[in-house]
Amino acid sequence: MDSILVKGGGALNGVIPIAGAKNACLTLMPATLLSEEPLTLTNAPRLSDIATMTQLLQSLGAEVASLQNGLVLAMSSHKLDNHTADYEIVRKFRASILVLGPLLARDGHAVVSLPGGCAIGARPVDLHLKALEAMGAELDLRDGYVHAKAPGGRLRGAVVEFPFVSVGATENALLAATLAKGTTVLKNAAREPEIVDLAVCLRRMGAQIEGEGTSTITIQGVDRLGGATHPVVTDRIELGTYMLLPAICGGEVECLGGRIDLVGAFAEKLDAAGVSVENTERGLKVSRKNGRVKAVDVVTEPFPGFPTDLQAQMMALLCTADGTSVLEEKIFENRFMHAPELARMGAKIDVHGGHATVTGVERLRGARVMATDLRASVSLILAGLAAEGETVVSRVYHLDRGYERVEEKLRGVGAQIERIAG
Ligand code: EPZ
């Protein structure tokens, strides 16, 4: 298994291009299953999760071609000859459950392996299933698979009220509702930019959707969807991660393609910590206002709140802040696994249930640490870049799921980082 070696200590300066969003692309790709005509995504990120979704769609009979060095995904689902999403692919990533709604909506039947739990929490899919049941699906859970059928071959519109906000369940229901008979209203829907991007793409394909970006989305089902070309929205989590570089190391970094509306709550916390974020013609420019950053408290929440996917990286910053910060994780029950690894680098962190109290130290020290999930991995790299000496992050395969060309992008702003093949 590969490791990443980071030599810390220097300020970082320059520009970093931000890729298309992994989590948008993973929900846009299954939209191809809804139509017999081609769907082309541009600005796709080059990541291992995208390769796995490609493999899953191909296993169902879709054609997926990766063009322009992976930046363009040309997909076509003219004929689907398999309606079973196999455990061997599904177990690799949880977004695979997003093929359930489209398969069911298009052909009236699907068998999809239940994704397992993962390092950050149990992550059940009950809300996805309840939404589809409300739309008339008959579900049978056996042998680790969801066997789903739509009576008469077609889902029907329904009012679905989610008991709490779920990004994935909103996406699955939205995908499915586009081809259902009648009107579907999704209440307490997720408002993430990835949902908005999905609705925009589906509308380009001919879907009738209103209200995306608010907590009520209304979908008028249509008989068929056509083809479309759609650019994947900027990855707000990659953006936020790289905005932290000058905050944690000093210097000035411009994130190309960055938009403040994608990272509002996060940018407010940076401002309170003493980090300046400026709009430029090409993106966002970030630098520290004065010397050391100040402690701030953070609570993770669904969009537009502070994203759970930036909590680990923010913790890395707060490890060297002046004062004590409290981070509260409200989305996932086990998302502080980076804390003991950061502690190996000299951070002072006390985790108690869903809270972590971080008392800033003047300087972190390099150490050997282990990545436990995607965002934890990158938080250790950020900490390593700020630390004195060398840090080796092992198990970096997690990183390749969500950050494309990470060493190249970081070297571009002056970071000393290299991959050690394992
Ligand atoms: C998406 O996961 C993202 N993944 C996650 O990105 C992100 O952390 C999360 O949204 C929250 O923003 C993708 O888009 C592929 P949820 P998702 O359904 O859809 C519980 C990353 O690092 N829940 O909004 O799975 C669930 O366990 C990641 O890129 C149920 O109980 O998240 C969690 O506690 C990891 N039943 C909460 O809801 C359900 O049926 C929110 O999960 C569904 C969810």
Side-chain angles (χ1 to χ4, degrees):
M1 265 182 267
D2 292 359
S3 311
I4 296 257
L5 168 68
V6 181
K7 290 184 190 153
L12 302 177
N13 286 287
V15 293
I16 295 197
I18 305 301
K22 165 183 82 94
N23 289 343
C25 200
L26 287 174
T27 187
L28 290 164
M29 290 175 77
T32 183
L33 300 173
L34 292 166
S35 170
E36 292 184 9
E37 288 175 38
L39 173 63
T40 301
L41 298 177
T42 60
N43 196 36
R46 280 75 63 86
L47 299 168
S48 63
D49 268 11
I50 302 302
T52 314
M53 182 58 93
T54 298
Q55 203 190 348
L56 175 58
L57 294 175
Q58 286 170 337
S59 77
L60 302 172
E63 289 167 24
V64 184
S66 172
L67 309 174
Q68 291 183 31
N69 202 15
L71 271 178
V72 173
L73 295 170
M75 301 177 288
S76 168
S77 303
H78 185 64
K79 187 170 166 289
L80 299 177
D81 46 23
N82 173 30
H83 288 75
T84 301
D86 193 77
Y87 174 71
E88 281 311 313
I89 305 180
V90 171
R91 70 182 176 85
K92 294 186 190 163
F93 73 136
R94 299 183 44 84
S96 47
I97 191 71
L98 296 174
V99 302
L100 178 60
L103 282 176
L104 200 51
R106 168 161 162 177
D107 288 334
H109 62 107
V111 180
V112 177
S113 173
L114 283 165
C118 73
I120 61 175
R123 302 184 74 185
V125 291
D126 53 324
L127 300 190
H128 300 237
L129 303 184
K130 280 189 189 132
L132 295 172
E133 270 180 333
M135 295 164 74
E138 290 172 358
L139 306 179
D140 185 14
L141 270 55
R142 45 189 153 90
D143 316 322
Y145 283 79
V146 186
H147 296 252
K149 257 197 278 184
R154 191 166 180 194
L155 293 171
R156 53 167 199 269
V159 176
V160 177
E161 178 148 16
F162 296 106
F164 52 90
V165 173
S166 160
V167 176
T170 303
E171 291 166 347
N172 231 337
L174 175 57
L175 284 157
T178 57
L179 289 180
K181 191 170 171 54
T183 305
T184 299
V185 183
L186 305 179
K187 295 187 174 174
N188 201 19
R191 291 181 278 166
E192 270 64 5
E194 294 75 25
I195 307 273
V196 174
D197 204 38
L198 175 62
V200 170
C201 175
L202 290 169
R203 224 170 7 238
R204 287 194 162 119
M205 294 168 71
Q208 293 188 19
I209 302 169
E210 276 174 21
E212 74 276 9
T214 75
S215 45
T216 303
I217 306 178
T218 306
I219 307 111
Q220 184 69 51
V222 295
D223 291 338
R224 57 176 297 281
L225 292 175
T229 296
H230 177 82
V232 179
V233 67
T234 298
D235 194 318
R236 64 196 167 98
I237 307 301
E238 190 195 28
L239 170 64
T241 301
Y242 292 146
M243 285 169 74
L244 283 166
L245 290 170
I248 198 163
C249 298
E252 185 177 85
V253 170
E254 185 178 10
C255 295
L256 303 183
R259 278 173 25 206
I260 200 78
D261 60 308
L262 296 174
V263 285
F266 170 72
E268 274 171 30
K269 288 293 171 188
L270 286 187
D271 181 58
V275 177
S276 128
V277 180
E278 218 184 290
N279 277 304
T280 66
E281 273 180 19
R282 307 186 295 179
L284 297 176
K285 196 180 271 183
V286 185
S287 59
R288 277 189 209 153
K289 291 180 200 162
N290 297 304
R292 197 173 168 193
V293 297
K294 296 191 285 280
V296 287
D297 294 340
V298 170
V299 181
T300 65
E301 283 169 336
F303 193 86
F306 189 101
T308 172
D309 292 347
L310 284 171
Q311 177 260 109
Q313 302 90 311
M314 189 70 181
M315 186 185 285
L317 172 72
L318 297 175
C319 285
T320 57
D322 186 11
T324 298
S325 314
V326 177
L327 292 103
E328 183 179 359
E329 173 55 57
K330 291 218 293 196
I331 308 293
F332 292 109
E333 64 271 25
N334 189 27
R335 212 176 195 185
F336 284 137
M337 287 157 310
H338 39 284
E341 300 302 309
L342 290 167
R344 294 172 57 75
M345 302 174 71
K348 288 195 184 148
I349 307 169
D350 179 23
V351 174
H352 33 103
H355 295 76
T357 304
V358 182
T359 305
V361 294
E362 288 266 350
R363 197 84 207 215
L364 294 172
R365 292 181 309 275
R368 290 189 72 92
V369 290
M370 195 188 287
T372 47
D373 70 75
L374 167 57
R375 308 303 171 188
S377 320
V378 84
S379 76
L380 298 172
I381 291 178
L382 289 174
L385 288 170
E388 211 170 85
E390 287 189 2
T391 296
V392 177
V393 185
S394 58
R395 298 210 176 170
V396 291
Y397 57 87
H398 294 292
L399 196 66
D400 299 325
R401 297 184 58 178
Y403 292 90
E404 66 165 41
R405 301 183 291 122
V406 65
E407 306 98 285
E408 195 184 316
K409 288 191 183 183
L410 290 175
R411 276 199 292 265
V413 291
Q416 293 192 57
I417 177 168
E418 60 186 275
R419 185 174 290 245
I420 309 166

